[in-house]
Amino acid sequence: MTSAIRLAINGASGRMGHALLALVRQDRRFELVHAVVSAGSTHDGTPVFGELSTSLRYAHGWDAAPAVDVVVDFSGPEGLSAALAYCTERGVALVTGTTGIDEALEARIADAEKRIPVLRAANFSLGVAVLARLLREAAAALPDWDLEIVEAHHGRKEDAPSGTALALGHAAAEARGTTLAKDGVYVREGRPGARRHGSIGFAVVRGGDVVGEHTALLLGQGERVELSHRATDRSIFARGALEAAAWLVGRKPGAYGIDDMLLERRARAVP
Ligand SMILES: NC(=O)C1=CN([C@@H]2O[C@H](COP(=O)(O)OP(=O)(O)OC[C@H]3O[C@@H](n4cnc5c(N)ncnc54)[C@H](OP(=O)(O)O)[C@@H]3O)[C@@H](O)[C@H]2O)C=CC1
Ligand SMILES: O=C(O)C1=N[C@H](C(=O)O)C[C@H](O)C1
């Protein structure tokens, strides 16, 4: 029997952290060896699975981390920054779902990808991976239709538009031979004037306990196409991230996405 994959979860006490812990507990492929929270977290030093279970405790940072094969990160830009430093220094694979990343951190991730395998996805659900492909096709097939992306999330989400909305926007822009830097519109207020042809608009809803909803609207004259995904349970993201972690361990350094894993699996399944 091969030994279990030594896993660290970065952001282990959060909404995604809890979804991951619930799955990891029952998944024999993994041994959870480190569970990271922020410095000053109320969880720091407390038992991850309760007093009666294993002795693993939440820890702030990476100084006390034992040997790790892969880090799964859902923490936030600051947490990701620290995990990136740890993974690069130790040659550890990194799976990250953190969104709201600025240009400086993007550059550091790109640099790290030369040294370690990094798998990133703004959304780890299978449904959104398929939605992105459908949107690419629709955006290219209906090049003159107006395109708007609407997303809704719980009220505690810190970044906007969501990473998924931006990823969908990038996919659609690429399919139309343009970029979001050129055609993305993020704010409409006062009298913005008539819609600029070819622009890709974003609208954001925040409130309650919405897990994550994304709709791409392709608006024509007298008709429209709506492509929607609604997540109702965070375990879909957690499951996708753990599949990615198992897939990523042992790969050569580089930038990987969820499609790399899905397409490889599909190719293997086809005789
Ligand atoms: N790609 C995807 O499929 C998905 C991505 N996300 C993204 O994942 C991220 C986290 O989301 P969510 O779980 O809702 O957020 P939460 O706020 O619920 O959790 C954040 C977690 O990160 C920890 N944390 C905060 N700062 C640091 C730090 N500097 N170092 C280490 N740990 C830290 C927090 O610890 P504590 O509070 O105890 O200090 C907490 O455990 C967001 O960027 C979100 O957009 C979310 C869902 C799906
Ligand atoms: O913060 C969240 O909750 C989510 N964030 C991701 C995003 O920004 O797209 C994915 C998912 O929609 C949930």
Side-chain angles (χ1 to χ4, degrees):
M1 196 185 108
T2 54
S3 52
I5 296 167
R6 294 164 301 183
L7 170 72
I9 297 177
N10 195 38
S13 63
R15 282 173 287 272
M16 278 304 299
H18 281 126
L20 286 161
L21 290 176
L23 293 182
V24 163
R25 225 179 159 165
Q26 305 162 15
D27 192 332
R28 288 171 167 255
R29 289 175 300 174
F30 297 101
E31 181 193 357
L32 182 65
V33 295
H34 200 48
V36 182
V37 294
S38 68
S41 167
T42 52
H43 293 88
D44 195 6
T46 65
V48 173
F49 292 122
E51 292 291 355
L52 296 176
S53 191
T54 66
S55 58
L56 186 70
R57 288 174 183 266
Y58 290 105
H60 68 270
W62 295 92
D63 291 348
V68 169
D69 296 312
V70 61
V71 172
V72 172
D73 161 75
F74 287 87
S75 60
E78 202 183 306
L80 171 57
S81 170
L84 198 60
Y86 168 79
C87 288
T88 312
E89 198 183 300
R90 304 288 176 96
V92 172
L94 173 65
V95 171
T96 177
T98 288
T99 57
I101 293 167
D102 65 16
E103 278 181 21
L105 188 50
E106 284 288 354
R108 280 188 52 213
I109 296 170
D111 198 42
E113 287 164 349
K114 294 176 195 144
R115 286 179 274 171
I116 55 167
V118 179
L119 192 150
R120 300 174 69 189
N123 195 305
F124 275 94
S125 91
L126 195 55
V128 164
V130 174
L131 176 69
R133 282 183 227 150
L134 295 174
L135 176 56
R136 259 193 212 104
E137 195 176 327
L142 304 167
D144 293 326
W145 289 27
D146 295 334
L147 175 51
E148 298 277 310
I149 296 173
V150 185
E151 59 102 331
H153 284 86
H154 55 94
R156 302 187 76 90
K157 184 162 176 63
E158 293 185 8
D159 55 312
S162 68
T164 308
L166 292 170
L168 292 172
H170 283 299
E174 196 181 71
R176 285 184 168 180
T178 184
T179 62
L180 285 188
K182 181 167 174 277
D183 283 325
V185 172
Y186 303 94
V187 180
R188 291 186 183 115
E189 183 176 44
R191 285 177 60 82
R195 190 181 197 283
R196 185 169 57 76
H197 185 65
S199 59
I200 298 176
F202 291 86
V204 172
V205 177
R206 288 285 176 271
D209 62 356
V210 180
V211 172
E213 303 187 355
H214 295 89
T215 298
L217 298 162
L218 289 124
L219 304 142
Q221 301 302 312
E223 57 180 326
R224 82 167 79 154
V225 172
E226 295 186 11
L227 298 171
S228 284
H229 178 268
R230 288 193 179 84
T232 53
D233 186 337
R234 284 186 182 84
S235 65
I236 59 165
F237 309 131
R239 196 167 296 116
L242 290 178
E243 288 307 311
W247 182 85
L248 192 65
V249 170
R251 299 212 171 241
K252 61 179 199 270
Y256 297 91
I258 200 161
D259 270 344
D260 294 315
M261 175 177 79
L262 297 176
L263 294 175
E264 185 186 284
R265 283 191 177 165
R266 195 193 294 170
R268 276 215 200 121
V270 175

